[in-house]
Each structure stands twice: as C-alpha cells, then as structure tokens.
Amino acid sequence: MDFLSPVLDGFGVVFQPDNLLYCLLGVTLGMLVGVLPGLGPAATIAILLPITYNIEPTSAIIMLAGIFYGAQYGGTITSVLLRLPGEASSVVTAIDGHEMARQGRAGAALGIAAIGSFIGGTIAIVALTFVAPLVSGFAIDFGPAEYTMLALLGILLVTTLGTGSIFKSLAMATLGLLLATIGQDPLLGTARLTFGSDQLLDGIDFVIVAMGLFGVGEILYNLEALRKKAPKAAPVGSVYPTRKDFSESKGAIARGSLSGFLLGILPGGGATMSSMVAYAVEKKATKRPEKFGRGAIQGVAGPETANNAAATSSFIPLLSLGIPANATMAIMFGALMLQGITPGPLLVEEEPQLFWGVVNSMYIGNLLLLAMSLPLIGIFVRILKVRAAILAPLTILITMIGVYTVRNNVFDMYLVIGLGLLGYLMKKVGFEPGPLVLAFVLGGILESAFRRSMRTFDGELSGFLGEPIAASLLGAIVLLILLSVLRAVRSRNKATQNKENKNSDVTPAEREPEDGAEQRDRDPAEHP
Amino acid sequence: MKILSRNRTVRSAALFAAAALALSACSVQGGSGDGDGGGDYPTRPVEFSVPTEPGGSTDLVTRALAKSIEEPLGQSAVVLNKPGANGKIAGKDVFSSNPDGYRVAVMPQSLFAVGPLVLDDPDAVQLEDMTFIKGLAVEDYVMVVPADSPIKSVEDLKKAGNIKYGTTGAGTGSQLSQALLLGLQKVKATAVPFDGGGPTLTAVLGGKVDAAGLQIAEAFEQIKAGELRGLAVFSKERLDALPDVPTATELGYDVTVDQRRFVAAPAGLPDDVRDKLSSAIDEAVQSKEYSDVLESSYIGRWDADGAEVEKQLRESRDQFKTMTEELGVDMKGQS
C-alpha cells in the first residue's frame, strides 16, 4: 500500500516524545482559551507565534493545531454553564445546553458535548486521511453565488431555532440582518450607519453581539429574579450523561459528524453553518421537536459534534490547497511561512512528514481532550453552585476582558453593555437572541456574496441558475419552503376537521420557514 | 484609554468596576507618558500597533521586527493589533497620542496613496499627523488567471473583453494595479472586491472571476504548482521569485504599483527619540529572524529614512491620482 506508508510514517512522527508533549501543551492551552470568551484561538496562536520560531516546524504546527481544536472543546463550557457563546459555531449550543444546565443537567450536556466532539473530530480525521484530495476541490467550487444560496438557506434555518413564535424569530432575524449592515460597505468601503463614529466603521464584532445579547442579557435577567425570591442554587444532577442520554444522542452525533465534515471544508461560514444545519436536522429528525429550546440533549450533541468535525475538516483547504478557511487558519498559514514552508497544492508531496504528522496528531489530541474534559466536568459544573451575587460580577468581568481582547478597544466594552441591556429587554418580552445573532453572522456573508455575484453575472439574477451548485441549493430552498407550506396546509385542514386537536404548537413551527424564506428570497431580487 | 475609565468610574457599580479592572489588566503599556525626557528613552516598553488582524504579512513583519528590536532598544516591544477601516482605526489611535516614542504604528502606503481615490474621507489620517521614522518593506503584486483559462497573456485580456477581476479589497494596490492596466487597454472590466488575499485566491482558483491581483506570497505556490498563470507583475523590474512573468511596463503598460510599509509615530516626535528608534530599527532589520520572514513571504526591503518615506507617499499619491484621472478610471464607481 503505497498510499498508507506516509500515513504510517506520520504516526512515527507523532509518537516522538517531544511531539506528544507539544500536542498536550497545545490542546491544554486551547481548552483554556476556549473557556475564556473573546480571547479566541486566532489571537492565542498569534501571540504564541514568536515562540514557535525555534521549534521544529512539525512540532510547532502540531501545537498550534491543538490550540485550535482544543478551543472548540473549551467553548462549549461557557456556552452551557454561563450562556456565553464565544464563537458563532457555539451559539446554538447555548440554546439547549444552557437550558439543560438550568434543569440540573449541565454535566450531561457537557459530557455529551465532549463525547460528540471526540467522535466528530475523529471521524473527520479519518475522512480527511482518505478523501482529502477528493473533497478539497469542494472548497474552490464555492464562489460568491454558492455562498449567497448557502447563507439564504442558513437564514431559512434560523427560524427553526428555539421555542418562540415564528414572527418573533423573524423580527429578530431582521434586526440581526440590519445590525450586520453597520460599518463600511463590504465592497465599496462607504461608511453606513456609523453616526460619524470611527468606532463603528468596521461594524460590530460577532463576539460582542453574542456576549451582549446572550451573556450580559442573561445575567441582568437573572439579577431581577434574585429580588423576587430567595436565590435557589441550581441543582446539579448526575455529572455524567445517562444511558438514555446516549441512546438519544447516537443519531445526532452520527449526523453531526457528516454535516460538520462537509460544511467545514468551506472557507468562511462553514463551521457556523454546520452547527445550525445539525440543529435543524435534529429538530426535524426527532419525534418530539417541542423539546427543542427546552433542554433537548440532541440540540447539544448534534451541533457540538458538527462544529468539531468542521474544525478538523477546515484544515483540508489549508493543507491541500494552501487556502486558509478562517482567521485561525490564516495565522496557521503565517506560522508555516515563518518556518519556511508555504502551504500550497504541493505540500502533501513536498512535506509528507509535516502533513501526516499534523493530521495524525489530531487523533492523539482529541483523545487527550476527551480524557481531560470528562474529569473536569465535575469541577466545572460546580460553577453553577456559586451564588449569583458572586458569579454574575465575575462573569461580567470575564466578558469585559474577552470583549476588550477582540480589538483592544474600549468602545466595544460600552457596546457590549448596551447590547446586554437590549438582550435583557428582549428576554423580558420573550424574544430570543439566537435568530438575531445567527442572522447577524449570515447577513454579512449574504450581502457581500450576493453583491459579488451580481458583479460577476453582469447584474442578471438568472446567473444563479447557470451555476450548478448554486442552482441546486436554490432548488433545496424552494423544496423546503414548498414542503413546509404543504404540511402547514394539511395540518390546518386536519385542525378544522377535528377541532379538539388544538395542539397548534406544531403548526406554526412548521409554517415558519415558509415566511422566512420567501421574505429573504424576494429581498435580493428587489435589490438593484 | 485608561484615563477614560478613571474619569468615569462613579457611574453604576459592578459593570464599570469590572470594565476598569479588565482594562487595567489588558492595557498595561499605555501611551500617556508624563514627561519622560528624550535623553534616556526608552525607559519602558514600546508599543507597535498593527492595523490588521493577526496573521497577515504586516502582522508577521511587525512581530519579527518587535522581537528583533528589543535588544538594540534595551526595552521590550509589544505588538498590538488594532484592525479596522484600512488602518484608520490604528492610525487615529496612535497619532493622536503623546509623541513620546512609546507608541508607534506600522502603516501601509495604500491608506494614503490609494484609499483617497476610492473614498472621500474628510476625517482620514493625514501625512501631517505623523513623524516618519523608517521604511520597512515592499510587497509586489502579480495579476493571475486560472491555469486552464483561455487568457494566456495580457494581450488576451483585450480579446476576451468584459473581464471580471478579483481584488483583495477596495482601495488596495491589487485593485489599483489591475484597474490601471485594464484602463490602459480600454477593456470593459468589472472589479469584484473580496475580503483579503485568501478569498480572492479561492475565487480565481475556482474560476469564479476571470483574473485576480495577488501579492507574490499569496500566489507563488499556486503558480509553481501549475494551478495559476501569472500574466504580469507590477514591479519596476522582473522579480526573482517569478522570473518568467513579465512586468506590465515591459509589455508596454506603464503601471508600477506596490505596497509599502513604514513605521510612524505621532507628529512632533523629538528628533533624538526618532533617531534612537530609527537606528534601533536599522539594527533589528538585519537580524536573521526578520530576514527569514521577509524571504519566506517574498517581501522586499524598503530601506528609507523618514524624509524618503514621506516623499514616496506624496509622489505615489499624486502619481496614482493623475493616472486614474487621465485614464478616466473611476475607482469609486467600480471598486
């Protein structure tokens, strides 16, 4: 087997004691920075870059890669326990994960997330080993037209999040899209909605929106609850997931691995999309969709598996094409260049030791992370026993540090407080932040991708139909809408036939994609 | 920044206390010097602001510089990323601070030479806001097409017509160089601005745009692997990295556009501080680390003193302005 020998050589590289040590160092650091919201893996790797000058290239990249996927494990912890999603890909985890924590099932949520992450990550590495050359082309097949459709699909899926009404979800998604337009026009650089302030020129960072609406909003809301009744420590149930939890999440983990691997290859919003797709798929797959948004374990298992699988597969474009798929990969690119290696299509042939050493180190890294996470869960869930009067200011402190580190900018700290107040008011009147935050992320992709497409199509909307992938995605969107309409009509007929069937919980939930999609679909057409 | 939180602490309790704490934890190296004489400069760490996210070439160059300058300077050097608005955020921040030499910024030429062609910004950073210390680096651009494209040469662009060309962003040298070349050819063309080098590279590899302008480091491996074809470089002479790719000038199109980076401090920096910084930079750029970064990223040296930096900025600004006006290339409309 000619193909397998460099792979096996790669294991030889990984099992050198110093490489094992760098791997352990990387994943431990990664997990720590993942726990701290704001200080993401990208910034950490940038700070550590000078240290790697004097290390062997392979060891250096093994360590830096460990920081990246280790951070994915750590990010779950704050999402679940404190409702502080530090990255776009863990926003959906915060919805059901935090709900589980409130019900005393934080341990189960973190446990299943760690196990799902491990399985998703490992499956993605296996897939990377065998099919990386085949699927790497997937990344360059996605241009502006394809991203336009992908973002549209994502906005369609936003409406399936949480438990709120369709109209509230849509209103929030619209607000998210509006917020995304703040700052410089993505193509021309003209200032928009900045009120003459330089601070808003670059738009609002995702971390600030997520931490303000989720984290700070939640804290303010809880403070209010403190006054009403004596503070009751959240019960911390079994620290580990039960057998029932496992059997409920099996399917979610399997499906999450697949969607995560495939979408992760796409540069840009791949990881975020994969967690949303995973959530939407689980909500459709389950027999009890009403549990979603109220602490469904599949709502944690699916997205968490998917975002880890995506983190792994996002190495594919970098290592096999020389294209960095996200900010962290861009810094990895820099790190490799500092070592005198420019990642490109020839990397696998020219540097097989490096390529396979790094890929195979991820098996070990994931194993280490699983071994570290499980015992730590017992310690982390104790955070919930801390009195709110102590926990709340601490959380705010962490949030503020995190927000400051994003751009080293004080203005962002005021912004997060403002958004926190908005999040508090939203929660008070029953609007959920999930659709807003995700529409905010997707809005940025949608607008620039759509306008780029229009430039390449000479302004003809029909250009989308000429691109096979974009056209197929458009077909999927139309199909989803039609199915939803059909189902809504049918259940409405049923409802009129037997009036005792007043459980209308399902009906609006099924109808919602229809409204959302049509609105978004029409929008670009009206755009000149 | 620290001052901000100090002055307004008396608002509401927990949030702002937390904010202040976070602040003092993060910005230990502030710039509000209180009367350090120039003589014993530097007595505390010097902060290098980078106007980009971590990871780009400016960031890499600055980090290598900061690491190598600690010895000649006798103080530690801290790199601070302040991305945003093509460098305006970092520029405004640093150049409005005290000119004491403890806060400097690494700035791109494009902000002053290309930016104004794209955007009328009455609030832009002006040359007068800065004390120029040293030139650092020159980066060149290459125009590429996918390897399987029917366009084999610059002349083929004319035949193909209706060119969609990818740029690394509005107001970049990538846009300007291609706009000028296509303008000289009188080819109908539409710029498609992407968000930096990575996405532009992806788009041209996938054939989503007909051509693209990239920096050498971004395109080199792909050209070597036969995935992209270099049509022209926009340097004065052919580049060592791409000896087979002709310059636009030798093809008869007088377009030379590059990106230059330099170190600047707020206007009014005392001369002795400037000299000290400038000689420390001279020493630092000779280090192996710094040289390695330049070499592996295909970045050239720009050995220029403060006055030369200023001259280059003025000249390129005027030259680009005249050229776009003469050719009737409207960077605003088509960026």
Side-chain angles (χ1 to χ4, degrees):
Chain A
M1 291 286 275
D2 272 358
F3 164 69
L4 277 180
S5 74
V7 181
L8 295 175
D9 284 350
F11 274 113
V13 175
V14 180
F15 284 115
Q16 287 163 12
D18 49 340
N19 283 344
L20 281 177
L21 196 67
Y22 281 120
C23 186
L24 177 67
L25 195 67
V27 295
T28 314
L29 267 172
M31 205 156 139
L32 287 176
V33 301
V35 174
L36 276 180
L39 183 67
T44 311
I45 295 175
I47 294 165
L48 288 179
L49 265 189
I51 301 176
T52 64
Y53 290 162
N54 307 319
I55 313 176
E56 278 282 291
T58 310
S59 311
I61 302 301
I62 286 178
M63 178 176 84
L64 298 180
I67 295 176
F68 175 60
Y69 56 79
Q72 310 292 324
Y73 278 76
T76 317
I77 296 169
T78 44
S79 281
V80 169
L81 296 181
L82 304 172
R83 208 166 174 251
L84 275 182
E87 294 207 40
S89 57
S90 51
V91 166
V92 289
T93 316
I95 299 172
D96 279 271
H98 188 66
E99 210 46 53
M100 283 179 75
R102 292 171 69 103
Q103 296 161 11
R105 300 182 65 217
L110 290 177
I112 210 74
I115 292 164
S117 296
F118 172 72
I119 297 175
T122 307
I123 290 180
I125 307 164
V126 176
L128 197 164
T129 306
F130 290 99
V131 300
L134 299 178
V135 293
S136 62
F138 193 41
I140 57 170
D141 285 338
F142 269 69
E146 289 76 13
Y147 277 107
T148 308
M149 290 303 152
L150 201 63
L152 267 181
L153 185 65
I155 289 165
L156 186 88
L157 295 180
V158 159
T159 51
T160 64
L161 298 175
T163 53
S165 82
I166 331 129
F167 293 107
K168 284 182 172 175
S169 286
L170 277 178
M172 286 300 103
T174 312
L175 190 59
L177 290 174
L178 267 177
L179 275 182
T181 62
I182 292 178
Q184 281 182 325
D185 177 306
L187 269 68
L188 301 169
T190 326
R192 299 189 304 201
L193 302 172
T194 59
F195 306 100
S197 151
D198 282 352
Q199 302 290 356
L200 284 172
L201 258 188
D202 249 36
I204 306 174
D205 194 276
F206 157 78
V207 171
I208 293 156
V209 177
M211 297 228 226
L213 293 179
F214 275 101
V216 180
E218 175 83 4
I219 291 163
L220 293 176
Y221 187 77
N222 288 344
L223 286 183
E224 184 182 73
L226 270 184
R227 267 204 185 158
K228 280 188 196 145
K229 54 181 186 224
K232 189 178 70 186
V236 177
S238 158
V239 168
Y240 297 106
T242 60
R243 190 163 298 190
K244 181 165 160 280
D245 292 334
F246 280 121
S247 66
E248 277 181 355
S249 348
K250 252 184 340 211
I253 291 176
R255 288 183 287 267
S257 303
L258 185 71
S259 61
F261 176 76
L262 287 178
L263 287 165
I265 301 169
L266 300 178
T272 313
M273 276 298 294
S274 78
S275 65
M276 288 176 60
V277 167
Y279 189 91
V281 165
E282 292 318 313
K283 199 170 175 178
K284 289 265 182 261
T286 180
K287 292 190 189 86
R288 303 179 59 197
E290 73 278 2
K291 271 199 78 184
F292 275 71
R294 299 194 172 90
I297 196 158
Q298 299 94 323
V300 177
E304 275 305 308
T305 307
N307 67 25
N308 263 63
T312 306
S313 62
S314 66
F315 277 90
I316 293 180
L318 179 76
L319 294 178
S320 60
L321 297 174
I323 295 171
N326 51 45
T328 315
M329 290 300 137
I331 299 173
M332 247 6 148
F333 191 101
L336 280 164
M337 295 225 304
L338 284 179
Q339 300 279 4
I341 297 164
T342 310
L346 302 178
L347 184 80
V348 191
E349 286 163 46
E350 289 178 352
E351 305 275 350
Q353 294 256 319
L354 174 102
F355 183 88
W356 293 112
V358 171
V359 170
N360 292 343
S361 77
M362 296 186 204
Y363 289 110
I364 311 293
N366 269 297
L367 207 61
L368 290 171
L369 282 165
L370 184 69
M372 269 196 294
S373 322
L374 290 180
L376 283 176
I377 289 172
I379 299 169
F380 278 126
V381 292
R382 271 172 223 203
I383 291 176
L384 294 176
K385 286 190 176 164
V386 177
R387 266 193 301 143
I390 298 167
L391 189 61
L394 258 179
T395 313
I396 295 276
L397 176 73
I398 296 173
T399 308
M400 285 299 162
I401 297 176
V403 164
Y404 180 77
T405 55
V406 173
R407 289 199 303 169
N408 298 322
N409 197 329
V410 184
F411 175 78
D412 291 346
M413 295 167 62
Y414 293 109
L415 211 55
V416 86
I417 294 170
L419 283 162
L421 288 174
L422 177 67
Y424 163 70
L425 291 175
M426 277 164 55
K427 180 139 188 169
K428 219 159 150 66
V429 289
F431 285 94
E432 300 200 29
L436 194 164
V437 173
L438 289 166
F440 173 77
V441 175
L442 295 169
I445 301 175
L446 179 69
E447 189 202 344
S448 48
F450 176 69
R451 287 175 55 193
R452 278 179 199 129
S453 313
M454 286 296 94
R455 276 166 182 264
T456 51
F457 297 152
D458 285 322
E460 295 291 333
L461 270 177
S462 56
F464 284 106
L465 299 176
E467 299 278 332
I469 299 177
S472 319
L473 282 170
L474 181 63
I477 294 171
V478 173
L479 207 68
L480 258 176
I481 298 167
L482 284 181
L483 276 178
S484 306
V485 175
L486 216 68
R487 216 176 298 173
V489 171
R490 203 187 300 159
S491 56
R492 199 177 296 163
N493 286 346
K494 222 183 259 173
T496 42
Q497 274 166 15
N498 31 338
K499 277 190 174 174
E500 70 270 25
N501 184 8
K502 275 194 174 176
N503 187 3
S504 55
D505 204 0
V506 186
T507 320
E510 295 298 343
R511 224 168 49 204
E512 67 196 75
E514 156 202 353
D515 307 306
E518 277 188 350
Q519 213 164 19
R520 291 304 319 149
D521 224 16
R522 269 200 309 266
D523 239 353
E526 284 164 4
H527 234 276
Chain B
M1 301 170 256
K2 278 191 290 186
I3 305 162
L4 234 177
S5 58
R6 251 183 238 146
N7 289 347
R8 296 190 192 165
T9 24
V10 218
R11 284 218 188 141
S12 107
L15 297 187
F16 281 91
L21 255 172
L23 255 181
S24 48
C26 292
S27 69
V28 245
Q29 0 271 355
S32 48
D34 21 50
D36 299 73
D40 45 353
Y41 169 88
T43 55
R44 51 193 170 86
V46 176
E47 190 181 278
F48 285 77
S49 285
V50 184
T52 64
E53 303 277 350
S57 62
T58 315
D59 184 60
L60 288 178
V61 168
T62 313
R63 282 176 197 279
L65 176 73
K67 192 149 183 281
S68 312
I69 207 174
E70 297 192 336
E71 211 184 293
L73 212 51
Q75 275 291 341
S76 52
V78 185
V79 175
L80 194 64
N81 295 86
K82 274 202 182 273
N86 302 328
K88 191 175 152 192
I89 303 247
K92 284 266 157 193
D93 183 46
V94 172
F95 303 136
S96 61
S97 72
N98 226 344
D100 54 12
Y102 290 101
R103 295 190 72 191
V104 297
V106 174
M107 286 275 127
Q109 165 183 263
S110 59
L111 179 61
F112 308 95
V114 190
L117 302 174
V118 179
L119 206 62
D120 292 316
D121 184 1
D123 194 35
V125 181
Q126 301 298 323
L127 297 184
E128 291 70 29
D129 298 337
M130 297 179 279
T131 305
F132 300 98
I133 298 171
K134 264 321 260 193
L136 278 185
V138 189
E139 287 158 78
D140 290 298
Y141 292 98
V142 58
M143 187 170 183
V144 293
V145 292
D148 56 7
S149 163
I151 300 169
K152 310 273 181 214
S153 67
V154 168
E155 286 313 302
D156 288 347
L157 288 168
K158 233 189 270 182
K159 276 179 240 155
N162 195 9
I163 301 288
K164 310 288 186 302
Y165 62 100
T167 78
T168 58
T172 58
S174 158
Q175 181 199 0
L176 177 70
S177 55
Q178 297 182 89
L180 290 176
L181 177 72
L182 293 161
L184 282 169
Q185 287 193 312
K186 308 240 178 299
V187 176
K188 180 180 178 243
T190 313
V192 185
F194 288 87
D195 210 1
T200 317
L201 174 65
T202 314
V204 70
L205 278 175
K208 307 292 175 187
V209 287
D210 301 313
L214 292 166
Q215 290 186 340
I216 307 302
E218 292 156 350
F220 181 77
E221 287 294 316
Q222 308 289 343
I223 294 176
K224 189 173 122 198
E227 304 283 341
L228 292 179
R229 182 184 305 119
L231 294 184
V233 290
F234 296 98
S235 49
K236 280 206 175 68
E237 277 151 29
R238 288 201 186 198
L239 300 171
D240 293 341
L242 301 169
D244 301 332
V245 183
T247 64
T249 317
E250 64 183 90
L251 295 171
Y253 304 99
D254 189 14
V255 182
T256 42
V257 176
D258 55 22
Q259 175 66 299
R260 289 169 192 248
R261 318 221 179 244
F262 57 93
V263 182
L269 187 73
D271 284 351
D272 53 342
V273 174
R274 188 190 63 198
D275 295 344
K276 184 121 189 195
L277 262 173
S278 143
S279 61
I281 291 173
D282 277 338
E283 210 169 309
V285 297
Q286 296 308 322
S287 74
K288 185 178 177 303
E289 243 151 20
Y290 185 84
S291 310
D292 285 351
V293 171
L294 289 197
E295 198 182 322
S296 62
S297 318
Y298 307 99
I299 299 175
R301 288 177 187 276
W302 185 24
D303 186 16
D305 64 22
E308 285 165 336
V309 171
E310 185 169 6
K311 186 162 161 264
Q312 161 73 22
L313 289 181
R314 287 190 191 285
E315 278 176 6
S316 59
R317 184 183 61 183
D318 297 343
Q319 181 205 346
F320 295 157
K321 189 160 187 267
T322 328
M323 280 191 85
T324 47
E325 275 167 9
E326 277 173 9
L327 289 173
V329 174
D330 180 11
M331 299 271 288
K332 286 170 198 152
Q334 48 98 293
S335 59

